[in-house]
Amino acid sequence: MKVVILGAGGMIGAKLAQRLCVEGHLDGRQIEVLDLFDLSAPSVPTGGLMARSHVVDITTDGAAEAVIEGRPDIIFHLAAMVSGAAERDFEGGYRINVDASRTLFEKIRKAHLTDGYAPKVIFASSLAVYGAPLPDPVPDHQIRTPQSSYGIQKAIVELLIDDYTRRGFFDGIGLRLPTIVIRP
């Protein structure tokens, strides 16, 4: 099985890459190749798994093609402009969080129409799609009411994933992560 991690240089991407390299399998299948993509060269973790580091800006022409060139079975889409930055840079937030995601999804759709390619796409979304206040725990039927550009961007991509999955172009899922603070 071939696995891609977009945003592999970030905290979550790096930890996921390390775990996959150590375990060597996912969903009961042996991982043959792990491709790590980010703006700067992601560190290749230690372990028995072959991992390759790639520098790519997902907002540039040809980036989405590079990501799916090897026809990965699973794509972890963790690349994003995070909440505060997306709020400060309206255009950048949409370019990175929405436009680049849609471009990737379109390249997958076109490959599907050409050769039946349909990977699993796992997208790192956010609780920001809900806004506040939130009940504890957040129920499955909670309505999306984002109150920030970042939350709206994540909600848009979730809806795109729902539609592309409904149409059979890929098997997508959005994981709504809480706010993760990595610096004091």
Side-chain angles (χ1 to χ4, degrees), residues 14-184:
K15 289 184 180 297
L16 175 61
Q18 180 64 49
R19 180 75 177 257
L20 293 177
C21 279
V22 168
E23 293 195 6
H25 63 278
L26 184 62
D27 200 25
R29 295 173 59 194
Q30 185 70 32
I31 299 172
E32 299 160 12
V33 173
L34 177 62
D35 283 307
L36 310 173
F37 291 85
D38 213 316
L39 278 172
S40 57
S43 297
V44 174
T46 58
L49 188 62
M50 179 180 136
R52 301 180 295 204
S53 179
H54 306 272
V55 175
V56 69
D57 177 346
I58 63 165
T59 66
T60 60
D61 289 340
E65 291 91 345
V67 169
I68 68 165
E69 181 179 20
R71 295 297 193 259
D73 300 289
I74 299 177
I75 299 170
F76 287 94
H77 181 1
L78 312 177
M81 177 182 281
V82 294
S83 56
E87 197 63 27
R88 286 186 301 277
D89 182 358
F90 183 82
E91 290 176 2
Y94 274 88
R95 186 179 68 254
I96 294 166
N97 295 340
V98 177
D99 300 339
S101 296
R102 181 152 187 267
T103 297
L104 173 65
F105 300 164
E106 273 298 292
K107 296 302 179 187
I108 294 170
R109 181 184 71 83
K110 289 176 181 173
H112 176 79
L113 295 174
T114 301
D115 62 20
Y117 177 60
K120 181 157 196 81
V121 176
I122 302 168
F123 173 67
S125 189
S126 169
L127 288 177
V129 301
Y130 295 128
L134 283 175
D136 185 17
V138 178
D140 290 339
H141 64 274
Q142 183 72 27
I143 296 172
R144 295 178 187 122
T145 55
Q147 298 171 338
S148 68
S149 293
Y150 177 73
I152 290 168
Q153 293 157 10
K154 289 294 188 174
I156 289 168
V157 176
E158 283 187 11
L159 289 168
L160 288 170
I161 288 170
D162 292 346
D163 199 29
Y164 281 71
T165 297
R166 178 185 66 83
R167 299 292 300 264
F169 302 131
F170 57 72
D171 178 14
I173 185 169
L175 302 175
R176 294 184 183 132
L177 303 174
T179 300
I180 298 172
V181 178
I182 60 171
R183 292 175 196 84

